[in-house]
Amino acid sequence: MTQKLFLVKSLFLLLTLSLTHFANAQDKVNVTGTVVDKDAAVPLEYATVTFIDRTGERSPQGGVTDFDGNFNIEVYEGNYDINVEFISFETKTFENRTLNSDLDLGTISLGLNSDSLDEVVVRAETTQVEVRLDKKIYNIGKDLTTRGGTVTDALQNIPSVSVDVEGAISLRGNENVRILINGKPSAMAGFDDSTIFQQLPADAIERVEVITSPSARYDAEGTAGILNIILKKEKTLGLNGSISTTLGYPTNNSVSTTLNLRTDKFNIFNNTGIYYRNSPGNAEFDNNYFSGTYDRIYEEREYDRLRKGLNTNLGMEYYLSENSSITGTFFGRWGDDEDETNAYSNRYIDGGFDSSTSRNQIEGEKEETYQGAINYINNFNDEGHKLTADLQYSYDNEDKPNNIIETQDLPVEELLDRQRIFENERQNEFLLQADYVLPKGDAQFEAGIRINTEAQKTAYTLEDFDLETQEFFINEGQSYNFDYDENVYAAYSQYGNKLGEKFSFLLGLRLEHTQLKGDAYSDYLTQEELVEEIGIEFDPTFEKNYLGLFPTVNLIYEIAKDENITLGYNRRINRPRGWFINPFPSRSSRTNVFQGNPDLNPAFSNTFDLGYLKKWDKLTFNTSVYYQRETDAFERIQQETGQTTSDGVNIIRNLPINLATEQRIGGEIGAIYNPSRKLRLNGSFNFFRFETEGFYQDVDYGTESTSWFGRFSAKYTLPAEIDIQTNGFYMGPRQNAQTENEGIFSLDLALSKEVIKDKLTATFNVRDAFNSRKRRSYTVSENFTSDSEFQWRQRQFTVSLIYRFNQSREDRMRERGQGGQGMDDEGGEF
């Protein structure tokens, strides 16, 4: 009886809804208007316009404003209250409006809501996280510890990201990460050389996208995932910008400017920085040998790295129409660096002191980098239907002269060796990309193509010193040329949709053809003689082609408005870079050399990622677990070359190889807690375990290791409106097949005060306050052991001043609070 009654009620309800829908099937009208900031008279993008039916029969209808603050919303005829809202602004309401024909509400001016301004300030001063189907977006807040710092310093404060003492960037402990600028490979990312981020100012960053489960729209490169760095581009009309100056000890001086001129027809933007930095470092190596002349060599090194140069990024966006624009950008960097290394060694035979030597190496690097790009975008409508096209060319030229002198100090003083090196590296990169996005209601279809070609040429000449004639001569066996090309041709398609109100999915497939070509040749030796001289077996002229399919699956379930679960799967590739392929040994040391491996093959990975996010008023919590299996994974090993120096020291080679497999499983937890306007807390913890297995030249390099890293940040406002912030980071111990690394802890401190309200801010910063950011490791091989300690940069003190013009505090806070909303830089909201 109960079931029958339930069915009757259900049928009655269904009939009622059907009749209501039929009765409401009336004509629709268009309501238009423009929403602007009352004080600044600038458009408000993403302001919300809501139509509330006064009869209560219909659900609320509405939409949001576009980039220029305009809205055009279609609603059913009827009687409505119309609400116009924007974060931190007072809501404007048009009560009891009868809509029976098209209506233009004209310009709607919203004033600031003083009651909610404090909340906006708190949001703006902390790093916020937004979750998309394929990424997490971290909007960089007022992080004091990066004020006056570099992009490298800013990345150290992003959850899931770690930067080691040499500046190498890892994602979840994995260095195979792809770095993009504004969604594209860029010369600003240093052609995959992350050391360039130690020159670019952190103030240029708007947000960082951590993409651990990349969708098909992204390049399949990088088995760990992608870091997409989005640079600032002001949206406020008129001329505005900022000037930042920094003084530091050890020497860390820089001046950077951000300028923006925006009108109704164009937007001109520029970021320029001049820097002069000196970063002293040090290292110790205690090597014990099982064979050879010496059974122990203890070495101390002192590094003095001088960095000076200029970088600039200039662009202009021209609005062809209300829906289309073309943007041209130019990036240039000119650097004149000098690294001086002094090494002092004590050598022992049968446990007793035998002799001591010293080595001085001065390596210069004059570099010029240029990049020109054109971007076209056409928004066919306001619903996300659009076409984008990018054309980009990059050029990099580096001259690296190198002078090395090695002497024996005890028991007698004599010259052991002198060398001069002349090295030139040139790289050209071309990118052509087109993407098409077609939304249909909740569904969205995307397709695109990309052609990315890179050509790198290295010319290397080594001159040895004849102790008898006191003249330099060319070492014909170690002077060479190496050309390396990497060409990638790709096409992708993906489809996303919502099932009901809770569940969304994004499915994609990317096809990539990779061509790797190398040519090693000498002006003095035949190719057979060259291979014999190098000491490893390789084909001096090789070409490898790989055709791969890379599927992606991303799912999200909205448990509630501020709570969701995500699940992602992707297949990716890790292509060996040029310096991993180059077979000629480096000359950073007579006894320890790095040598590339032309036989390296790309590595392929399959990754699963399960995430959870929950937001409360003052707390954001997110966590995830992941599993990755990688085949032909890269591993760097150390082995003896079988060669010795002229004075009998065994020469050790560092060589990258392909292992059979690497399996990695891990989890991470992050939380952002803002209990009050004065106190802001931010922490994350990442735990992972990896297992590698594989042989090389009959040696088993398989290993298992567990490690973790965590960071914690606290910011508190003292009396007199002085902000103090601490950032702590700890990298747990880890190991590979040969090397064990101890844990590393570092702490940054900062104080900040707004000297002139809304205009001038001063910051005092201490990086690595305890001078503890040192890598300690122990290596064991068949023929030697090595106990080492390395510090890339010593503790540093800086004072920074930043002056802003035509940027009110409220404008800055609002824009930071809105960062990351809406469409992403490579497609739709999916």
Side-chain angles (χ1 to χ4, degrees):
M1 184 66 182
T2 303
Q3 292 180 347
K4 291 183 178 179
L5 182 60
F6 175 78
L7 289 174
V8 171
K9 289 183 177 180
S10 299
L11 290 172
F12 179 79
L13 178 61
L14 180 61
L15 179 61
T16 301
L17 292 175
S18 300
L19 291 174
T20 302
H21 175 75
F22 179 78
N24 289 334
Q26 305 170 18
D27 293 335
K28 294 183 177 181
V29 298
N30 288 323
V31 181
T32 59
T34 303
V35 183
V36 300
D37 181 334
K38 179 180 179 180
D39 299 321
V42 297
L44 296 178
E45 185 184 7
Y46 295 113
T48 303
V49 184
T50 307
F51 296 81
I52 301 174
D53 185 12
R54 291 181 64 87
T55 66
E57 295 179 356
R58 293 192 184 92
S59 299
Q61 306 168 66
V64 296
T65 57
D66 62 16
F67 185 80
D68 296 314
N70 299 320
F71 63 88
N72 186 341
I73 303 171
E74 189 178 59
V75 298
Y76 289 107
E77 292 182 353
N79 203 23
Y80 296 93
D81 289 336
I82 306 173
N83 291 334
V84 183
E85 302 171 282
F86 189 72
I87 184 172
S88 79
F89 281 74
E90 294 178 345
T91 299
K92 192 159 201 174
T93 301
F94 299 88
E95 295 183 348
N96 198 16
R97 288 294 183 100
T98 300
L99 302 181
N100 50 25
S101 62
D102 292 346
L103 173 65
D104 184 2
L105 291 174
T107 299
I108 303 169
S109 300
L110 301 184
L112 277 169
N113 183 349
S114 58
D115 294 335
S116 63
L117 183 58
D118 286 351
E119 178 186 351
V120 179
V121 171
V122 171
R123 284 168 51 91
E125 292 183 344
T126 59
T127 298
Q128 298 293 319
V129 59
E130 298 288 340
V131 172
R132 298 290 184 266
L133 263 169
D134 58 350
K135 72 185 76 172
K136 292 185 179 73
I137 301 173
Y138 293 94
N139 305 304
I140 305 300
K142 288 179 59 180
D143 195 329
L144 305 182
T145 58
T146 64
R147 184 69 54 78
T150 64
V151 170
T152 296
D153 298 318
L155 291 177
Q156 288 176 353
N157 294 333
I158 299 296
S160 304
V161 179
S162 58
V163 184
D164 71 11
V165 293
E166 293 178 297
I169 299 169
S170 299
L171 183 58
R172 291 173 167 175
N174 190 339
E175 292 185 6
N176 300 326
V177 56
R178 179 69 156 168
I179 299 175
L180 305 177
I181 303 291
N182 293 334
K184 297 181 288 293
S186 173
M188 298 180 71
F191 294 107
D192 293 297
D193 177 9
S194 60
T195 57
I196 190 175
F197 293 135
Q198 299 170 16
Q199 279 80 58
L200 298 177
D203 290 340
I205 299 177
E206 177 178 312
R207 66 182 187 270
V208 177
E209 298 179 347
V210 179
I211 311 173
T212 54
S213 184
S215 65
R217 76 167 66 100
Y218 294 101
D219 183 3
E221 171 71 31
T223 54
I226 295 173
L227 290 180
N228 187 21
I229 299 173
I230 307 299
L231 303 181
K232 292 178 183 175
K233 187 170 64 173
E234 182 66 54
K235 298 179 181 179
T236 305
L237 290 173
L239 177 65
N240 54 80
S242 63
I243 301 174
S244 177
T245 62
T246 299
L247 295 175
Y249 175 83
T251 306
N252 181 10
N253 304 330
S254 65
V255 177
S256 63
T257 63
T258 299
L259 298 174
N260 211 94
L261 175 61
R262 178 176 172 83
T263 71
D264 292 333
K265 291 298 295 180
F266 63 84
N267 184 24
I268 300 175
F269 50 93
N270 174 254
N271 302 103
T272 298
I274 303 173
Y275 56 90
Y276 186 95
R277 301 186 179 98
N278 191 3
S279 300
N282 58 82
E284 296 178 4
F285 301 88
D286 192 353
N287 297 338
N288 289 272
Y289 301 90
F290 305 146
S291 62
T293 304
Y294 302 99
D295 52 56
R296 182 191 176 202
I297 297 179
Y298 176 77
E299 179 182 345
E300 292 181 318
R301 292 185 192 176
E302 296 175 354
Y303 302 98
D304 199 15
R305 302 182 183 87
L306 179 63
R307 302 286 184 264
K308 54 182 178 179
L310 163 71
N311 56 72
T312 186
N313 183 43
L314 175 65
M316 177 176 176
E317 182 177 10
Y318 181 76
Y319 307 108
L320 301 172
S321 67
E322 291 184 359
N323 297 319
S324 63
S325 67
I326 187 169
T327 302
T329 59
F330 168 80
F331 170 75
R333 186 169 75 96
W334 300 266
D336 187 3
D337 303 340
E338 182 179 278
D339 289 355
E340 181 173 4
T341 303
N342 288 291
Y344 309 93
S345 298
N346 292 328
R347 306 188 291 194
Y348 299 84
I349 298 178
D350 296 330
F353 175 79
D354 175 76
S355 59
S356 66
T357 63
S358 59
R359 185 176 192 269
N360 175 265
Q361 177 178 0
I362 298 177
E363 180 180 4
E365 182 176 339
K366 290 189 176 181
E367 181 178 12
E368 52 182 359
T369 301
Y370 306 101
Q371 177 179 288
I374 297 176
N375 167 265
Y376 169 77
I377 181 169
N378 185 3
N379 293 295
F380 298 103
N381 56 35
D382 297 331
E383 299 175 357
H385 183 198
K386 68 177 180 178
L387 172 69
T388 60
D390 294 275
L391 180 65
Q392 181 175 288
Y393 172 74
S394 306
Y395 171 79
D396 183 73
N397 182 73
E398 298 180 32
D399 286 310
K400 297 190 284 190
N402 205 327
N403 288 278
I404 303 170
I405 300 176
E406 187 156 358
T407 61
Q408 179 173 285
D409 302 320
L410 291 173
V412 295
E413 186 174 335
E414 63 176 337
L415 179 65
L416 294 178
D417 194 22
R418 286 189 66 184
Q419 291 180 326
R420 293 192 309 201
I421 299 170
F422 302 93
E423 183 177 5
N424 175 262
E425 290 184 359
R426 285 173 294 154
Q427 183 157 328
N428 293 272
E429 182 172 359
F430 173 80
L431 172 71
L432 175 63
Q433 176 178 327
D435 297 278
Y436 177 73
V437 182
L438 176 63
K440 287 292 185 182
D442 290 331
Q444 182 165 291
F445 169 79
E446 294 183 48
I449 60 170
R450 176 183 284 186
I451 300 174
N452 198 178
T453 65
E454 299 178 37
Q456 180 175 310
K457 296 182 179 295
T458 301
Y460 185 96
T461 301
L462 172 64
E463 293 185 350
D464 287 325
F465 188 72
D466 191 317
L467 297 177
E468 294 183 1
T469 64
Q470 297 289 296
E471 294 181 348
F472 285 97
F473 65 94
I474 293 177
N475 185 327
E476 296 181 350
Q478 297 295 325
S479 298
Y480 65 89
N481 299 282
F482 183 65
D483 299 343
Y484 182 65
D485 295 346
E486 177 184 294
N487 303 318
V488 180
Y489 307 92
Y492 80 91
S493 178
Q494 63 183 15
Y495 175 76
N497 205 343
K498 294 186 70 174
L499 299 179
E501 297 296 325
K502 300 284 189 180
F503 183 76
S504 301
F505 66 87
L506 181 61
L507 308 177
L509 185 64
R510 189 177 186 90
L511 174 68
E512 289 195 351
H513 176 259
T514 301
Q515 180 187 51
L516 307 178
K517 297 192 297 182
D519 186 14
Y521 56 97
S522 168
D523 295 332
Y524 311 100
L525 304 175
T526 66
Q527 289 191 325
E528 291 77 11
E529 292 172 332
L530 186 63
V531 171
E532 183 178 353
E533 183 72 29
I534 293 304
I536 60 174
E537 289 294 330
F538 72 98
D539 183 357
T541 302
F542 64 88
E543 179 175 341
K544 298 181 180 181
N545 291 273
Y546 303 89
L547 183 66
L549 283 173
F550 301 92
T552 62
V553 178
N554 288 285
L555 314 174
I556 186 168
Y557 180 74
E558 300 283 347
I559 300 173
K561 179 182 178 182
D562 293 320
E563 184 178 15
N564 61 61
I565 297 175
T566 57
L567 177 64
Y569 161 77
N570 62 84
R571 182 174 188 260
R572 299 187 63 74
I573 185 174
N574 187 26
R575 305 178 184 92
R577 311 311 299 168
W579 66 290
F580 259 38
I581 294 289
N582 191 332
F584 298 95
S586 68
R587 289 289 153 183
S588 58
S589 168
R590 274 205 314 155
T591 58
N592 291 275
V593 300
F594 179 87
Q595 192 166 3
N597 181 4
D599 285 334
L600 273 184
N601 294 315
F604 293 88
S605 72
N606 290 275
T607 304
F608 297 87
D609 187 292
L610 178 64
Y612 171 76
L613 173 76
K614 171 67 174 175
K615 290 184 179 181
W616 292 270
D617 289 340
K618 298 181 179 181
L619 174 66
T620 299
F621 172 81
N622 68 91
T623 184
S624 65
V625 293
Y626 54 90
Y627 169 78
Q628 180 183 83
R629 187 177 189 274
E630 187 171 345
T631 57
D632 283 334
F634 300 159
E635 181 69 274
R636 278 182 279 187
I637 63 171
Q638 292 182 318
Q639 59 178 198
E640 286 197 340
T641 62
Q643 301 173 340
T644 61
T645 63
S646 58
D647 50 341
V649 181
N650 293 334
I651 298 177
I652 298 170
R653 170 170 51 214
N654 291 266
L655 185 74
I657 64 171
N658 286 118
L659 284 184
T661 61
E662 177 181 290
Q663 296 187 82
R664 182 181 295 259
I665 186 169
E668 56 186 343
I669 297 174
I672 301 172
Y673 181 48
N674 302 324
S676 68
R677 181 184 175 185
K678 290 188 174 183
L679 179 63
R680 275 102 36 201
L681 305 174
N682 187 341
S684 64
F685 176 82
N686 193 303
F687 172 87
F688 56 92
R689 174 180 175 80
F690 63 88
E691 176 182 341
T692 60
E693 54 183 42
F695 287 81
Y696 182 76
Q697 295 181 347
D698 298 325
V699 178
D700 186 359
Y701 288 101
T703 188
E704 297 180 10
S705 181
T706 299
S707 188
W708 59 277
F709 64 88
R711 55 169 48 85
F712 179 78
S713 174
K715 184 177 178 184
Y716 186 74
T717 302
L718 300 170
E721 294 297 317
I722 298 175
D723 290 328
I724 181 171
Q725 182 173 333
T726 62
N727 278 1
F729 176 81
Y730 180 80
M731 170 66 74
R734 62 179 64 190
Q735 68 180 44
N736 61 17
Q738 292 180 306
T739 303
E740 296 180 0
N741 293 293
E742 297 182 11
I744 301 175
F745 172 75
S746 64
L747 182 72
D748 299 337
L749 300 172
L751 291 169
S752 179
K753 169 67 177 175
E754 198 164 88
V755 181
I756 302 176
K757 184 175 177 59
D758 300 333
K759 295 290 185 181
L760 181 65
T761 303
T763 303
F764 173 70
N765 202 314
V766 184
R767 296 192 182 93
D768 193 11
F770 298 116
N771 205 35
S772 57
R773 194 172 176 81
K774 302 177 182 180
R775 182 183 63 205
R776 297 178 177 88
S777 59
Y778 184 68
T779 299
V780 178
S781 77
E782 289 184 317
N783 302 304
F784 68 93
T785 65
S786 179
D787 195 353
S788 65
E789 177 182 284
F790 178 78
Q791 183 178 29
W792 178 265
R793 183 180 68 183
Q794 297 176 10
R795 174 175 48 214
Q796 194 164 69
F797 304 88
T798 59
V799 175
S800 301
L801 294 175
I802 180 169
Y803 176 77
R804 299 172 293 273
F805 57 92
N806 293 346
Q807 291 183 329
S808 70
R809 183 178 180 87
E810 291 78 7
D811 287 340
R812 291 183 287 115
M813 294 304 120
R814 267 198 321 274
E815 182 163 338
R816 293 289 183 88
Q818 285 296 303
Q821 303 292 330
M823 309 298 279
D824 62 53
D825 287 79
E826 284 214 2
E829 294 181 346
F830 286 101

